[in-house]
Amino acid sequence: MASFKPEKQLHPPEKGSDFAFPFLPYDIQLDFMKTLYTVIHSGGIGIFESPTGTGKSLSLTCGTLTWLKDYVRLMEAELQEKIVRLRAEIARLEKENESSSDWISGQYSAMGQRKELDVLNHFKQSIEEYQKHLLRMKDRAVLHKIRLEKIRTKDDTLREEPLQQDVTIDEDEFLLPEESDGSDEETEADCEKDEEQYRPVQVIFCSRTHSQLSQVVSEVKETEHSKDLRLMSLASRQSLCINADVRKLKSSTLINERCLELLNKGGKNKASAGDEGDDGRSVKKRRKLTQSCPYYNQRAIEGLKNGILFEVPDIEDLVKAGKREQACPYYASRAAIPDAQVLMVPYQLILHRRTRQQSGIRLQDAILIIDEAHNLLDTISAIHSQEVRLEQLRLAKVHLSAYKARYFSRFSTKNLLRINQLIFIATRLGKVLSPEGSSTNRSRMLETQELLLEADVFNLNLSDILSFCERSRIAQKVHGFAQSAAPELLEQNAPSIRSKVGTTSKGSTSELKSLLKNLEEDYKSKSQKKKAGRPASKQAVESAPVSNQENDQQLQSKPSVTNAIRPLINFLECLVEDAGGGSGDSRVMISFDEKDLSQASMKYLLLNPGGKFEDIVQSCRSVVLAGGTMQPTEELTEQVFRNCRERVTIKSYPHVVPKDAVLPIALGRGPTGKEFLFNYNNKHNVEMLDELQSTLLNISQVVPHGVVVFFSSYDFLDLFTRKLEESGNRARLEERKKVFREPKTSGQVEKTLSEYGRAARSATGAILFSVVGGKLSEGLNFSDQLGRCVVVVGLPYPNRTSPELCERMRYLDRSLAGATSGASSAGNEYYENLCMKAVNQCIGRAVRHIRDYAAVILLDTRYCTGERIRRKLPVWISERMECAERYGQAHGKLVKFFRDHKAKHVEETH
């Protein structure tokens, strides 16, 4: 429906209290909120850099929600004013027409006014209907809570586990449904109905992790905005599922598929446990008993949605409420999307188009806020990259072939065609990767169209095939079939089907024609057999009912089967997405393992992530990118916003801490005067490693409590710790501080941090060796005694020989030629930015609040001599940076810095 946008300008409030900020804001926080308010109202794009500890998230939410409330009030007031004005204008024109000789012109003018009035009245009516809808939701939520309380008081049934509903799985369990011709018409009708409904402006707050989103939600709860705010947190099934049997599965893919399987079973007619035999008795076709999900109850889900939407829930609140009300939090949160004013979402749900559409999120006229946006482009590239291995392609072919053999006579012609096309695609892509099928066993880069031509699948409509996969859920069905089938069945049927579909024929074009011809012949043959008599696959399979205990034992003893179809479908989705984008914006990297050619793989690489995000920018009303370290911002303006530079506002705020709370030092030489140049050529330089050991020993003697040291790579960290042991300096270092090292497995991170925290707070202190871009360089808080000093060793440039990195750099050199300033090319600029963004994240681990203080030491001569490098550091670091020509200068500054803060602490204590 046509929307109404007010013509009057909104001006941001002047005081922090008008933004409902829970505290007296700092000047930079007030300026942040006012600038944000202006950017949103003008439909602009904002890039905000505000260091951790400056209240960035609170400023973002308070500024945005204040604008949202002001905008709704302005829109409703201006809408009413315009309706009154139009009515008066129409009345005046009608009165003039009564006495006018040119009544035709008068009627024509009045007609235009009436048409505009009808549109505005209709829009106003839709708003009123929507407000009534919200009131009904609130009423239902209250009634739902009263009903739950009565049940709880009566017999405490909700404290028990819900009853499991047994569902019989028969041989039709994995059969594909018939294609429906009316699905498109239904979709169009739903879209038209949806367009008629009023949709308020929606704020979508996006961040990297669920813990970061939960932290923002907790901050919103402390403000006045939380009253009567409709907020919903969205997450994956892995985070929200409360079904214990599903949650114990190892991966998110398995959880998703199991959930969909249970929903499908729950929707079946429970009574149809078997068919009638010739004698009229029921013939059981059951193979095993399973259970539908007890939490997928539409009434309970609706009640949970209505109640939780007005309570500003985070992920944990949703899960607790779901368990309490025996309703699925995942589907309740999805059902709340259209009615929420604020959505809290992880990156994947917004940045990936298909995921966004499947979730029901609409970006049209929305306010999109992306927090922690420093790695936005790299995140988009990672989300849209997809790898498929030769082993997966072969397994997909085996599973599809066995599945086709099992149900061959019962497929419709359409479904049979699609299955054969998938088998053909898996075969041809596998041939590109197989040692005998590939023209060369060397790794190489291909454009998407080149891959389609080489695999000879260019004349297949991949979009139609993927639509079939989505509608039929063939990935889940084939996976379920593969799990339930005997392993011998999969292996026995694969060769026969391969020969049947002509996958071993030589000519690639004739192979496809042969496949389609065989399909027609096979279908005719099976149809004739079907008419002659009942086919074998339709005969009843009689078996005694299996007990739940026996069934569980069988399932546990059976080895798990991976879903081989899903990686293939995901890869094809990338190829189809690429077809809609620009030419040359992607590559497919063909990789071979020289030691084991069977480990070959092909990986889709998105080279132009800015193009994907540009589509988002065009849909949204306003886009805001924020982070603690957004430098260098030129990367975003060049790759994403170069076609709308006039909309972009860039603000970089200083830290809230006093200037004497941070001591940044660039150190180019060690205690003996040896120059620090930690490049690839000096990686094994023994003298430099000895100098580094001496430097860290001296720093540990001066700095109290915790010291965090970041190395450029795990290999370099391994080399350093080995040299530290061999030289005997490990023992000397242990005398000054307890030594910790970043664990190699994620499961040990929490334990290591806990032990480090205890040691750092002690009188002796601790030193933690970690890696730039590793498990401890982002998202962790080394505040106060945990991080009195952060040391970055060298410049962590990525491996320049990486084929993927080389291709990205070449692409940027071609597409952004002349866009960068100076002699550096766009590819080199990107390479340098990768390094500096990683350094900035390490620096941001320290100084986390206004009373915190720390030293930041950058060990490499290039920090002293490279103006370009220093310019890409955070403003609050580069403005205070001091370059020490000799180690003695740095040592003296460190001694004075910590002595002054110790005296200041004693003074404040007394």
mmCIF file of all heavy atoms in Angstrom, residues 378-410:
data_model
loop_
_atom_site.group_PDB
_atom_site.id
_atom_site.type_symbol
_atom_site.label_atom_id
_atom_site.label_comp_id
_atom_site.label_asym_id
_atom_site.label_seq_id
_atom_site.Cartn_x
_atom_site.Cartn_y
_atom_site.Cartn_z
ATOM 1 N N ASP A 378 34.558 -8.399 4.787
ATOM 2 C CA ASP A 378 35.094 -9.759 4.906
ATOM 3 C C ASP A 378 34.019 -10.732 5.386
ATOM 4 O O ASP A 378 33.990 -11.893 4.968
ATOM 5 C CB ASP A 378 36.275 -9.780 5.882
ATOM 6 C CG ASP A 378 37.446 -8.938 5.374
ATOM 7 O OD1 ASP A 378 37.644 -8.909 4.154
ATOM 8 O OD2 ASP A 378 38.122 -8.301 6.196
ATOM 9 N N THR A 379 33.128 -10.257 6.252
ATOM 10 C CA THR A 379 32.030 -11.104 6.733
ATOM 11 C C THR A 379 31.080 -11.458 5.595
ATOM 12 O O THR A 379 30.648 -12.614 5.469
ATOM 13 C CB THR A 379 31.254 -10.380 7.846
ATOM 14 O OG1 THR A 379 32.139 -10.073 8.917
ATOM 15 C CG2 THR A 379 30.112 -11.246 8.365
ATOM 16 N N ILE A 380 30.751 -10.475 4.756
ATOM 17 C CA ILE A 380 29.861 -10.735 3.611
ATOM 18 C C ILE A 380 30.502 -11.747 2.670
ATOM 19 O O ILE A 380 29.839 -12.677 2.181
ATOM 20 C CB ILE A 380 29.540 -9.424 2.866
ATOM 21 C CG1 ILE A 380 28.736 -8.485 3.766
ATOM 22 C CG2 ILE A 380 28.766 -9.700 1.588
ATOM 23 C CD1 ILE A 380 28.515 -7.107 3.191
ATOM 24 N N SER A 381 31.801 -11.593 2.419
ATOM 25 C CA SER A 381 32.504 -12.544 1.548
ATOM 26 C C SER A 381 32.468 -13.952 2.128
ATOM 27 O O SER A 381 32.221 -14.925 1.405
ATOM 28 C CB SER A 381 33.963 -12.102 1.361
ATOM 29 O OG SER A 381 34.038 -10.890 0.654
ATOM 30 N N ALA A 382 32.694 -14.059 3.435
ATOM 31 C CA ALA A 382 32.710 -15.377 4.082
ATOM 32 C C ALA A 382 31.331 -16.026 4.046
ATOM 33 O O ALA A 382 31.205 -17.232 3.803
ATOM 34 C CB ALA A 382 33.197 -15.244 5.524
ATOM 35 N N ILE A 383 30.285 -15.225 4.280
ATOM 36 C CA ILE A 383 28.920 -15.754 4.290
ATOM 37 C C ILE A 383 28.536 -16.291 2.918
ATOM 38 O O ILE A 383 27.818 -17.287 2.797
ATOM 39 C CB ILE A 383 27.928 -14.661 4.746
ATOM 40 C CG1 ILE A 383 28.059 -14.426 6.259
ATOM 41 C CG2 ILE A 383 26.484 -15.027 4.396
ATOM 42 C CD1 ILE A 383 27.234 -13.276 6.774
ATOM 43 N N HIS A 384 29.025 -15.639 1.854
ATOM 44 C CA HIS A 384 28.641 -16.023 0.494
ATOM 45 C C HIS A 384 29.636 -16.975 -0.155
ATOM 46 O O HIS A 384 29.508 -17.282 -1.349
ATOM 47 C CB HIS A 384 28.476 -14.775 -0.374
ATOM 48 C CG HIS A 384 27.269 -13.963 -0.040
ATOM 49 N ND1 HIS A 384 27.259 -13.023 0.962
ATOM 50 C CD2 HIS A 384 26.023 -13.961 -0.564
ATOM 51 C CE1 HIS A 384 26.067 -12.460 1.036
ATOM 52 N NE2 HIS A 384 25.302 -13.012 0.123
ATOM 53 N N SER A 385 30.634 -17.440 0.585
ATOM 54 C CA SER A 385 31.559 -18.435 0.047
ATOM 55 C C SER A 385 31.047 -19.830 0.389
ATOM 56 O O SER A 385 30.478 -20.039 1.450
ATOM 57 C CB SER A 385 32.960 -18.240 0.637
ATOM 58 O OG SER A 385 33.509 -17.008 0.216
ATOM 59 N N GLN A 386 31.264 -20.755 -0.529
ATOM 60 C CA GLN A 386 30.790 -22.114 -0.300
ATOM 61 C C GLN A 386 31.737 -23.101 -0.957
ATOM 62 O O GLN A 386 32.090 -22.947 -2.129
ATOM 63 C CB GLN A 386 29.376 -22.300 -0.861
ATOM 64 C CG GLN A 386 28.789 -23.687 -0.653
ATOM 65 C CD GLN A 386 28.597 -24.025 0.820
ATOM 66 O OE1 GLN A 386 28.166 -23.190 1.591
ATOM 67 N NE2 GLN A 386 28.904 -25.253 1.190
ATOM 68 N N GLU A 387 32.128 -24.111 -0.212
ATOM 69 C CA GLU A 387 33.053 -25.121 -0.730
ATOM 70 C C GLU A 387 32.340 -26.461 -0.819
ATOM 71 O O GLU A 387 31.544 -26.820 0.043
ATOM 72 C CB GLU A 387 34.271 -25.234 0.187
ATOM 73 C CG GLU A 387 35.338 -26.165 -0.338
ATOM 74 C CD GLU A 387 36.582 -26.176 0.541
ATOM 75 O OE1 GLU A 387 36.442 -25.931 1.759
ATOM 76 O OE2 GLU A 387 37.679 -26.419 0.020
ATOM 77 N N VAL A 388 32.625 -27.194 -1.892
ATOM 78 C CA VAL A 388 32.119 -28.557 -2.020
ATOM 79 C C VAL A 388 33.282 -29.451 -2.427
ATOM 80 O O VAL A 388 34.074 -29.109 -3.316
ATOM 81 C CB VAL A 388 30.955 -28.640 -3.046
ATOM 82 C CG1 VAL A 388 31.387 -28.228 -4.437
ATOM 83 C CG2 VAL A 388 30.343 -30.029 -3.065
ATOM 84 N N ARG A 389 33.412 -30.577 -1.760
ATOM 85 C CA ARG A 389 34.550 -31.474 -1.980
ATOM 86 C C ARG A 389 34.154 -32.623 -2.908
ATOM 87 O O ARG A 389 32.976 -32.979 -3.018
ATOM 88 C CB ARG A 389 35.075 -32.022 -0.657
ATOM 89 C CG ARG A 389 35.524 -30.953 0.318
ATOM 90 C CD ARG A 389 36.261 -31.558 1.516
ATOM 91 N NE ARG A 389 35.485 -32.618 2.148
ATOM 92 C CZ ARG A 389 34.555 -32.416 3.061
ATOM 93 N NH1 ARG A 389 34.246 -31.188 3.434
ATOM 94 N NH2 ARG A 389 33.900 -33.431 3.589
ATOM 95 N N LEU A 390 35.166 -33.204 -3.538
ATOM 96 C CA LEU A 390 34.935 -34.331 -4.444
ATOM 97 C C LEU A 390 34.238 -35.465 -3.708
ATOM 98 O O LEU A 390 33.315 -36.100 -4.243
ATOM 99 C CB LEU A 390 36.274 -34.800 -5.024
ATOM 100 C CG LEU A 390 36.225 -36.046 -5.920
ATOM 101 C CD1 LEU A 390 35.321 -35.816 -7.122
ATOM 102 C CD2 LEU A 390 37.638 -36.417 -6.380
ATOM 103 N N GLU A 391 34.649 -35.723 -2.493
ATOM 104 C CA GLU A 391 34.035 -36.782 -1.687
ATOM 105 C C GLU A 391 32.542 -36.521 -1.482
ATOM 106 O O GLU A 391 31.728 -37.445 -1.549
ATOM 107 C CB GLU A 391 34.756 -36.850 -0.339
ATOM 108 C CG GLU A 391 34.190 -37.876 0.619
ATOM 109 C CD GLU A 391 34.811 -37.760 2.010
ATOM 110 O OE1 GLU A 391 35.674 -36.886 2.211
ATOM 111 O OE2 GLU A 391 34.410 -38.536 2.882
ATOM 112 N N GLN A 392 32.159 -35.258 -1.251
ATOM 113 C CA GLN A 392 30.750 -34.909 -1.046
ATOM 114 C C GLN A 392 29.953 -35.091 -2.335
ATOM 115 O O GLN A 392 28.803 -35.556 -2.308
ATOM 116 C CB GLN A 392 30.640 -33.472 -0.553
ATOM 117 C CG GLN A 392 31.167 -33.262 0.853
ATOM 118 C CD GLN A 392 31.224 -31.799 1.236
ATOM 119 O OE1 GLN A 392 31.560 -30.937 0.425
ATOM 120 N NE2 GLN A 392 30.896 -31.499 2.490
ATOM 121 N N LEU A 393 30.552 -34.732 -3.464
ATOM 122 C CA LEU A 393 29.864 -34.897 -4.754
ATOM 123 C C LEU A 393 29.623 -36.372 -5.052
ATOM 124 O O LEU A 393 28.546 -36.751 -5.528
ATOM 125 C CB LEU A 393 30.681 -34.252 -5.872
ATOM 126 C CG LEU A 393 30.763 -32.718 -5.833
ATOM 127 C CD1 LEU A 393 31.775 -32.209 -6.853
ATOM 128 C CD2 LEU A 393 29.391 -32.100 -6.103
ATOM 129 N N ARG A 394 30.608 -37.193 -4.783
ATOM 130 C CA ARG A 394 30.444 -38.629 -5.022
ATOM 131 C C ARG A 394 29.382 -39.215 -4.095
ATOM 132 O O ARG A 394 28.573 -40.050 -4.518
ATOM 133 C CB ARG A 394 31.792 -39.339 -4.814
ATOM 134 C CG ARG A 394 32.786 -39.092 -5.949
ATOM 135 C CD ARG A 394 34.152 -39.676 -5.643
ATOM 136 N NE ARG A 394 35.028 -39.592 -6.809
ATOM 137 C CZ ARG A 394 36.335 -39.838 -6.770
ATOM 138 N NH1 ARG A 394 36.910 -40.176 -5.616
ATOM 139 N NH2 ARG A 394 37.070 -39.747 -7.858
ATOM 140 N N LEU A 395 29.390 -38.783 -2.854
ATOM 141 C CA LEU A 395 28.407 -39.278 -1.898
ATOM 142 C C LEU A 395 27.001 -38.798 -2.278
ATOM 143 O O LEU A 395 26.020 -39.556 -2.144
ATOM 144 C CB LEU A 395 28.766 -38.784 -0.492
ATOM 145 C CG LEU A 395 28.134 -39.539 0.686
ATOM 146 C CD1 LEU A 395 28.519 -41.011 0.648
ATOM 147 C CD2 LEU A 395 28.580 -38.913 2.005
ATOM 148 N N ALA A 396 26.885 -37.564 -2.750
ATOM 149 C CA ALA A 396 25.581 -37.045 -3.187
ATOM 150 C C ALA A 396 25.032 -37.880 -4.333
ATOM 151 O O ALA A 396 23.836 -38.216 -4.379
ATOM 152 C CB ALA A 396 25.723 -35.587 -3.607
ATOM 153 N N LYS A 397 25.915 -38.255 -5.262
ATOM 154 C CA LYS A 397 25.492 -39.074 -6.398
ATOM 155 C C LYS A 397 25.012 -40.451 -5.945
ATOM 156 O O LYS A 397 23.985 -40.959 -6.418
ATOM 157 C CB LYS A 397 26.642 -39.198 -7.396
ATOM 158 C CG LYS A 397 26.275 -39.931 -8.669
ATOM 159 C CD LYS A 397 27.369 -39.785 -9.717
ATOM 160 C CE LYS A 397 28.658 -40.418 -9.274
ATOM 161 N NZ LYS A 397 29.672 -40.455 -10.352
ATOM 162 N N VAL A 398 25.724 -41.027 -4.997
ATOM 163 C CA VAL A 398 25.346 -42.358 -4.476
ATOM 164 C C VAL A 398 23.987 -42.292 -3.785
ATOM 165 O O VAL A 398 23.107 -43.127 -4.035
ATOM 166 C CB VAL A 398 26.426 -42.879 -3.507
ATOM 167 C CG1 VAL A 398 25.930 -44.097 -2.745
ATOM 168 C CG2 VAL A 398 27.697 -43.219 -4.264
ATOM 169 N N HIS A 399 23.803 -41.297 -2.916
ATOM 170 C CA HIS A 399 22.548 -41.178 -2.166
ATOM 171 C C HIS A 399 21.371 -40.900 -3.100
ATOM 172 O O HIS A 399 20.296 -41.496 -2.961
ATOM 173 C CB HIS A 399 22.662 -40.064 -1.130
ATOM 174 C CG HIS A 399 23.541 -40.426 0.025
ATOM 175 N ND1 HIS A 399 23.736 -39.604 1.110
ATOM 176 C CD2 HIS A 399 24.302 -41.541 0.277
ATOM 177 C CE1 HIS A 399 24.565 -40.172 1.963
ATOM 178 N NE2 HIS A 399 24.912 -41.348 1.483
ATOM 179 N N LEU A 400 21.556 -39.990 -4.039
ATOM 180 C CA LEU A 400 20.475 -39.671 -4.981
ATOM 181 C C LEU A 400 20.132 -40.874 -5.852
ATOM 182 O O LEU A 400 18.957 -41.139 -6.144
ATOM 183 C CB LEU A 400 20.871 -38.487 -5.860
ATOM 184 C CG LEU A 400 20.796 -37.098 -5.216
ATOM 185 C CD1 LEU A 400 21.549 -36.074 -6.055
ATOM 186 C CD2 LEU A 400 19.347 -36.658 -5.042
ATOM 187 N N SER A 401 21.163 -41.592 -6.277
ATOM 188 C CA SER A 401 20.929 -42.756 -7.140
ATOM 189 C C SER A 401 20.176 -43.862 -6.399
ATOM 190 O O SER A 401 19.239 -44.458 -6.938
ATOM 191 C CB SER A 401 22.266 -43.294 -7.658
ATOM 192 O OG SER A 401 22.947 -42.317 -8.401
ATOM 193 N N ALA A 402 20.579 -44.123 -5.159
ATOM 194 C CA ALA A 402 19.893 -45.144 -4.367
ATOM 195 C C ALA A 402 18.464 -44.712 -4.055
ATOM 196 O O ALA A 402 17.529 -45.531 -4.076
ATOM 197 C CB ALA A 402 20.667 -45.398 -3.077
ATOM 198 N N TYR A 403 18.289 -43.435 -3.779
ATOM 199 C CA TYR A 403 16.951 -42.891 -3.505
ATOM 200 C C TYR A 403 16.057 -43.033 -4.725
ATOM 201 O O TYR A 403 14.890 -43.436 -4.626
ATOM 202 C CB TYR A 403 17.107 -41.421 -3.107
ATOM 203 C CG TYR A 403 15.818 -40.682 -2.854
ATOM 204 C CD1 TYR A 403 15.034 -40.944 -1.735
ATOM 205 C CD2 TYR A 403 15.374 -39.696 -3.738
ATOM 206 C CE1 TYR A 403 13.864 -40.250 -1.496
ATOM 207 C CE2 TYR A 403 14.203 -38.999 -3.510
ATOM 208 C CZ TYR A 403 13.454 -39.277 -2.392
ATOM 209 O OH TYR A 403 12.295 -38.587 -2.156
ATOM 210 N N LYS A 404 16.606 -42.741 -5.891
ATOM 211 C CA LYS A 404 15.837 -42.872 -7.135
ATOM 212 C C LYS A 404 15.458 -44.330 -7.391
ATOM 213 O O LYS A 404 14.322 -44.640 -7.785
ATOM 214 C CB LYS A 404 16.660 -42.331 -8.306
ATOM 215 C CG LYS A 404 15.991 -42.554 -9.659
ATOM 216 C CD LYS A 404 16.931 -42.170 -10.782
ATOM 217 C CE LYS A 404 16.360 -42.666 -12.102
ATOM 218 N NZ LYS A 404 17.248 -42.366 -13.236
ATOM 219 N N ALA A 405 16.396 -45.235 -7.132
ATOM 220 C CA ALA A 405 16.112 -46.658 -7.358
ATOM 221 C C ALA A 405 14.997 -47.146 -6.442
ATOM 222 O O ALA A 405 14.155 -47.948 -6.849
ATOM 223 C CB ALA A 405 17.384 -47.474 -7.125
ATOM 224 N N ARG A 406 14.986 -46.657 -5.205
ATOM 225 C CA ARG A 406 13.994 -47.106 -4.231
ATOM 226 C C ARG A 406 12.583 -46.668 -4.604
ATOM 227 O O ARG A 406 11.620 -47.408 -4.442
ATOM 228 C CB ARG A 406 14.379 -46.562 -2.843
ATOM 229 C CG ARG A 406 13.408 -46.951 -1.744
ATOM 230 C CD ARG A 406 13.446 -48.460 -1.500
ATOM 231 N NE ARG A 406 12.489 -48.868 -0.506
ATOM 232 C CZ ARG A 406 11.195 -49.116 -0.762
ATOM 233 N NH1 ARG A 406 10.727 -48.993 -2.006
ATOM 234 N NH2 ARG A 406 10.389 -49.502 0.191
ATOM 235 N N TYR A 407 12.432 -45.442 -5.097
ATOM 236 C CA TYR A 407 11.090 -44.891 -5.347
ATOM 237 C C TYR A 407 10.829 -44.629 -6.830
ATOM 238 O O TYR A 407 9.930 -43.864 -7.175
ATOM 239 C CB TYR A 407 10.924 -43.571 -4.580
ATOM 240 C CG TYR A 407 10.997 -43.719 -3.081
ATOM 241 C CD1 TYR A 407 12.125 -43.320 -2.382
ATOM 242 C CD2 TYR A 407 9.931 -44.259 -2.361
ATOM 243 C CE1 TYR A 407 12.197 -43.445 -1.000
ATOM 244 C CE2 TYR A 407 9.997 -44.396 -0.984
ATOM 245 C CZ TYR A 407 11.127 -43.987 -0.315
ATOM 246 O OH TYR A 407 11.198 -44.123 1.044
ATOM 247 N N PHE A 408 11.613 -45.262 -7.695
ATOM 248 C CA PHE A 408 11.586 -44.912 -9.122
ATOM 249 C C PHE A 408 10.190 -44.958 -9.732
ATOM 250 O O PHE A 408 9.773 -44.054 -10.449
ATOM 251 C CB PHE A 408 12.532 -45.852 -9.878
ATOM 252 C CG PHE A 408 12.675 -45.501 -11.323
ATOM 253 C CD1 PHE A 408 13.314 -44.330 -11.698
ATOM 254 C CD2 PHE A 408 12.181 -46.335 -12.314
ATOM 255 C CE1 PHE A 408 13.466 -44.001 -13.029
ATOM 256 C CE2 PHE A 408 12.315 -46.006 -13.649
ATOM 257 C CZ PHE A 408 12.972 -44.835 -14.007
ATOM 258 N N SER A 409 9.450 -45.990 -9.439
ATOM 259 C CA SER A 409 8.148 -46.168 -10.084
ATOM 260 C C SER A 409 7.080 -45.224 -9.544
ATOM 261 O O SER A 409 5.997 -45.114 -10.109
ATOM 262 C CB SER A 409 7.670 -47.615 -9.903
ATOM 263 O OG SER A 409 7.466 -47.874 -8.525
ATOM 264 N N ARG A 410 7.380 -44.513 -8.462
ATOM 265 C CA ARG A 410 6.342 -43.710 -7.816
ATOM 266 C C ARG A 410 6.566 -42.204 -7.983
ATOM 267 O O ARG A 410 5.799 -41.406 -7.478
ATOM 268 C CB ARG A 410 6.282 -44.081 -6.339
ATOM 269 C CG ARG A 410 6.047 -45.577 -6.150
ATOM 270 C CD ARG A 410 6.039 -45.961 -4.705
ATOM 271 N NE ARG A 410 4.966 -45.308 -3.980
ATOM 272 C CZ ARG A 410 4.843 -45.319 -2.664
ATOM 273 N NH1 ARG A 410 5.759 -45.938 -1.941
ATOM 274 N NH2 ARG A 410 3.849 -44.709 -2.075
#
